[in-house]
Amino acid sequence: MSRAAQFAQVAALAAIAVQAVAAADGQWSMPAKDYAATRYSDLTQITAQNAKGLHPLWTFSTGVLGGHEGQPLVVGDTMYVVTPWPNVLYAFDLAHEGYPLRWKYRPEVSSNAIGAACCDTVNRGAFYLDGKLIYNLLDGHTVAVDARSGRELWKSQIADLGSGETTTMAPLVVGERVIVGAAGGEFGIYGWLKALDLNSGRTLWNVHNMGPDADMHVNAATFRPFYDHGADLGTRSWGNDSWKTGGAPVWGWMAYDPQLDLIYYGTGNAAPYNPEQRPGDNKWSSSVLARRPADGALVWAYQFTPHDSWDYDATGAMVIADLSIAGKPVKALVHFDKNGFAYTFDRSNGQLLVAQPFVPVTWAQGVDLATGRPRLDPSKQTGVSKGNVKGICPSLEGGVSPASPPAYSPRTHLFYTSTNNLCMDYEAAHANYLKGTPYMGINSPYNPGPGGYLGSFIAWDAASGRKVWEAKEAYPTWSGALVTAGDVAFYGTLDGWFKSVDARSGRELSRFKVGSGVVGNPITFRAPDGKQYVAVYAGLGGDWALLSGDIRSDDPSDVRAPADYMKDIARHTSQGGMIWIFGL
Amino acid sequence: MNANVPVAALAAVLMAALLCGCTRQPAPAPAQPATPPAVRYESHLAAGGLLPPGAVLRNPHAGDVAVAKSGAQLFNAMNCDGCHGEDASGNWAPNLGDGRWRYGGADAEVFSSIYYGRPKGMPAFGGVLGAEGVWTLVTYLRSLAPPPNIPTESWQEPP
């Protein structure tokens, strides 16, 4: 047996073991609950019948004001929380009243990362495996911390802050490989993915998302994309050698299929935002890539938005689900893209099976399943020569933010996701590359989408590409989703309501106004007292730290006027990081 | 365009293009007395009530409308607008035209912020632009007229 095959077998066994443990014991040990990234828990104490009795039982201020994306982890009798920069790691003792801290880990992390992070100082969480917590610091480092003592085990520099690389994503650990990437699509980085050794932090492989085949770990024997063929797609699809500063960052979520031994992740926008500086498809920006964890080899890839002209990152979650499509069982991969379409693939080969809009879309009329390509509306193509292009839906905040991962219930066979109902005008400008500064070239004011609401929480049938129900919200909806075997789904709103809804009908079951807007992802767990709880962060931020107006009160030099499409959000919320736990 | 190679050339060309005809005399280097090297912040507290001496930096283009206009172009060409927004109106980094300054708004203080950078991620531009380029930016930023008030309470219903 080759080393790679041996590794794959071990990884697969480990994956199955972890999945089984996580499913059976009420823990939440990895960002998306399981390797399939379902954010589904089989806990059943909280049901659609009793959820109206949910109320807050415990809160804790993290002392940090940045946007609290991501989610806590619960392993055994401990809850772990990573804050936005300065990336404090808290360990709470769930076995004692008041959940006092067991320990607190304070990493050294550069304050320069604040300015290099485009969209607030967010962190999307830690991953627990083998007694270690693994997470990224904003300034381009990955750390491993001993889960019992809070002692730092290793710290590795993975990214170059000086080039505009910051690290906001949660790692995925497969076997002994810690998979990480970097943000920086606004700084013209040369987007990449790395695997670190779980025990030492040493880099095992480093692959790029574009560039020469050698840099991308593409070889003819293993690379079999369903729609695209030929060598060096990662350079040939970028005019003027623009791949060298082409962005395609990795800052979202990953999934792993132990049977196929493939990791799935999405890439962000191509840089700069003015598409005329990078003629061609720009592969593999705004794409999903399937790679082997052992050596990073690329197996298949699909580009959602060729020649991205609207900042449509594809870093949103890739969810593994076994679906029945037209009566046939399908090993599916489901993705809600910033570009407004929801995609259902055959995850073994990247064949697109379903692609339908889940929010109002104007940049394309649809997606051709035979070619995999969007049917573009030429009047919505952007670039310096196009001037100010109006009425593009969705806005570059996305039909859903990649920061807001969906959930999938194998009981209802439905996906649950937040959405944004915003459109934009897009006026591109020539961008100059200057290392360590933004490489953008855009002015893009937003407008409300049609219908008189700015966001929603929806249930989606990915087998047919159909919206099953929709709970409309006054503001863009930016939290992740959670769904349970009690058939209850959970989400939070930008103005700070934490809600539970009936997973089958969308009927609201409970609501509570938490301390700040919710941009994090709810989780559920069983505490040492045997009861089921739901935890979520409050902490308005992410893009909404920039766009909400006067929601920041700790800096007298930063006072912002309200956004003209939602003038009153600052009436309802302001910054503030808190963990909330709800129970019956 | 790629990487570092053209940056110095770019800056030089930009500076030549932007400043051609705008300056009345060769740009003087800022005064750099041997001691002390640092800019003194007038807003800082002083132990014993005694302010230490500080470097004297004077903007050679203070109030020059033509230089301010060049500075506006340089602001975009150097990607300042990426973080600080179109017309310096704020994006992920603060608004620079609202009269509110994190590190002081006097010419010398703004010069120091741009030339050497700031530890919350403001890059040092002194290396790529030199003193003359930084003064050009300072002149632009100081030309922006602060609004009388930032309307943070605009949710109020009209009576």
Side-chain angles (χ1 to χ4, degrees), chain A residues 87-448:
Chain A
N87 303 129
V88 180
L89 174 59
Y90 289 101
F92 295 96
D93 178 359
L94 299 179
H96 286 88
E97 185 179 17
Y99 301 164
L101 284 177
R102 288 189 197 280
W103 50 258
K104 178 175 169 182
Y105 164 69
R106 299 294 312 268
E108 277 188 46
V109 52
S110 169
S111 64
N112 277 312
I114 297 169
C118 74
C119 314
D120 201 7
T121 54
V122 299
N123 181 285
R124 301 197 173 87
F127 194 107
Y128 172 89
L129 192 67
D130 281 353
K132 299 181 185 69
L133 289 145
I134 318 292
Y135 72 102
N136 291 325
L137 310 181
L138 190 63
D139 68 352
H141 291 80
T142 305
V143 291
V145 177
D146 181 83
R148 278 189 5 165
S149 66
R151 193 168 52 86
E152 182 179 292
L153 300 171
W154 52 258
K155 177 177 180 179
S156 291
Q157 185 184 344
I158 58 164
D160 176 19
L161 193 58
S163 302
E165 293 181 346
T166 52
T167 30
T168 56
M169 72 182 301
L172 182 80
V173 186
V174 174
E176 298 204 328
R177 304 279 195 273
V178 176
I179 316 290
V180 288
E186 284 63 44
F187 288 76
I189 69 167
Y190 181 26
W192 51 263
L193 190 76
K194 288 179 183 172
L196 316 178
D197 176 58
L198 176 62
N199 295 307
S200 67
R202 194 168 50 88
T203 299
L204 299 172
W205 49 256
N206 175 18
V207 297
H208 287 272
N209 300 322
M210 67 282 227
D213 279 355
D215 284 15
M216 290 203 299
H217 281 215
V218 161
N219 64 73
T222 50
F223 184 50
R224 293 197 180 80
F226 195 84
Y227 297 99
D228 299 280
H229 302 283
D232 288 318
L233 291 169
T235 53
R236 285 196 289 114
S237 64
W238 297 79
N240 312 326
D241 277 352
S242 48
W243 56 271
K244 293 177 179 174
T245 52
V250 181
W251 50 267
W253 311 95
M254 293 181 285
Y256 173 62
D257 182 325
Q259 275 75 43
L260 294 170
D261 191 33
L262 290 176
I263 51 174
Y264 302 97
Y265 70 101
T267 56
N269 61 283
Y273 283 26
N274 168 26
E276 290 170 358
Q277 288 175 244
R278 42 177 173 79
D281 276 359
N282 309 144
K283 289 180 167 33
W284 299 94
S285 65
S286 295
S287 300
V288 52
L289 287 79
R291 291 186 183 273
R292 298 220 179 273
D295 56 7
L298 189 62
V299 173
W300 64 261
Y302 170 84
Q303 190 171 44
F304 300 100
T305 311
H307 190 55
D308 171 30
S309 305
W310 309 274
D311 185 31
Y312 288 153
D313 301 75
T315 42
M318 307 291 162
V319 184
I320 289 171
D322 293 333
L323 303 178
S324 173
I325 299 181
K328 281 179 25 188
V330 172
K331 284 175 164 302
L333 189 73
V334 174
H335 170 73
F336 296 87
D337 200 85
K338 260 176 94 171
N339 72 17
F341 289 93
Y343 297 80
T344 307
F345 296 93
D346 179 335
R347 69 175 179 270
S348 67
N349 62 6
Q351 181 184 6
L352 183 60
L353 305 173
V354 180
Q356 291 293 330
F358 64 97
V359 290
V361 169
T362 63
W363 68 278
Q365 281 112 24
V367 181
D368 183 339
L369 297 183
T371 64
R373 297 187 74 89
R375 290 192 297 273
L376 299 172
D377 179 339
S379 74
K380 304 301 182 195
Q381 195 64 42
T382 72
V384 171
S385 73
K386 311 286 185 184
N388 187 2
V389 182
K390 294 181 182 289
I392 298 164
C393 310
S395 79
L396 63 78
E397 296 305 320
V400 60
S401 167
S404 318
Y408 170 70
S409 168
R411 290 172 49 85
T412 63
H413 305 291
L414 296 176
F415 288 76
Y416 302 89
T417 184
S418 291
T419 80
N420 304 309
N421 184 23
L422 288 168
C423 302
M424 65 177 170
D425 303 337
Y426 194 109
E427 186 172 14
H430 183 84
N432 296 318
Y433 181 83
L434 177 60
K435 180 180 171 171
T437 71
Y439 185 48
M440 296 170 70
I442 187 187
N443 180 33
S444 59
Y446 305 156
N447 308 292

Side-chain angles (χ1 to χ4, degrees), chain A residues 111-120 186-187 240 244-245 431-440 443 546 550 552 555-562 567-568 570-571, chain B residues 1-4 7 10 14 76-83 86 90-95 98 100-102 118-123 125 128 150-155 157:
Chain A
S111 64
N112 277 312
I114 297 169
C118 74
C119 314
D120 201 7
E186 284 63 44
F187 288 76
N240 312 326
K244 293 177 179 174
T245 52
N432 296 318
Y433 181 83
L434 177 60
K435 180 180 171 171
T437 71
Y439 185 48
M440 296 170 70
N443 180 33
L546 286 48
D550 190 24
R552 173 172 192 179
D555 185 350
S557 70
D558 193 347
V559 180
R560 290 166 186 249
K567 285 183 177 299
D568 65 345
R571 185 184 188 188
Chain B
M1 187 177 66
N2 178 38
N4 303 325
V7 165
L10 168 76
L14 277 166
N76 292 342
M78 289 289 110
N79 303 330
C80 311
D81 59 332
C83 297
E86 196 183 24
N91 188 23
W92 66 78
N95 186 324
D98 61 0
R100 295 166 179 266
W101 297 95
R102 191 177 281 168
R118 292 291 176 188
K120 283 188 174 179
M122 167 69 190
F125 282 83
V128 66
I150 303 282
T152 60
E153 295 182 350
S154 56
W155 60 74
E157 294 291 330

